[in-house]
Amino acid sequence: MATISYLGRSVMPQEYLHVRQALGLPTLTFPVAARAVRDDLFNVVVLLDGETPVGCARVIGDGVLTFLIQDVLVAPKYQRKGIGSKIMKIVL
């Protein structure tokens, strides 16, 4: 049985690209993805068996007054399993 891990750490650009690709979102180049996640205030990364990214969340903002949940992404194969809800509990 696969193990799902929820990590409150920076999302790596390749993880972000992997989950976006699984969702069929527009393709980004690695430099664009790296820049997008560089200054995130908080992230959650969801890994299958400790290595395959199947979800993530990004929180952006000014770090003082404004915080925005930018992304909550879960690969289609893993949707409707409570992963998005657990991500939101961690973020909040």
Side-chain angles (χ1 to χ4, degrees), residues 53-64:
V54 296
C56 65
R58 299 174 53 225
V59 178
I60 63 173
D62 61 18
V64 179

Side-chain angles (χ1 to χ4, degrees), residues 34-42 59-61:
R35 177 63 181 98
V37 301
R38 184 185 77 192
D39 296 326
D40 290 351
L41 298 176
F42 182 74
V59 178
I60 63 173

Side-chain angles (χ1 to χ4, degrees), residues 9-12 16 20 28 32-45 55-61 67-73 87-88 91:
R9 64 143 170 90
S10 295
V11 62
M12 304 305 293
Y16 185 55
R20 286 180 57 90
L28 303 176
V32 169
R35 177 63 181 98
V37 301
R38 184 185 77 192
D39 296 326
D40 290 351
L41 298 176
F42 182 74
N43 299 113
V44 176
V45 180
C56 65
R58 299 174 53 225
V59 178
I60 63 173
F67 300 89
L68 173 71
I69 300 170
Q70 176 61 34
D71 293 309
V72 177
L73 307 174
I87 288 172
M88 286 304 299
V91 167

Side-chain angles (χ1 to χ4, degrees), residues 11-32:
V11 62
M12 304 305 293
Q14 61 271 25
E15 294 169 331
Y16 185 55
L17 290 169
H18 186 278
V19 176
R20 286 180 57 90
Q21 180 182 25
L23 285 160
L25 294 173
T27 303
L28 303 176
T29 64
F30 185 88
V32 169

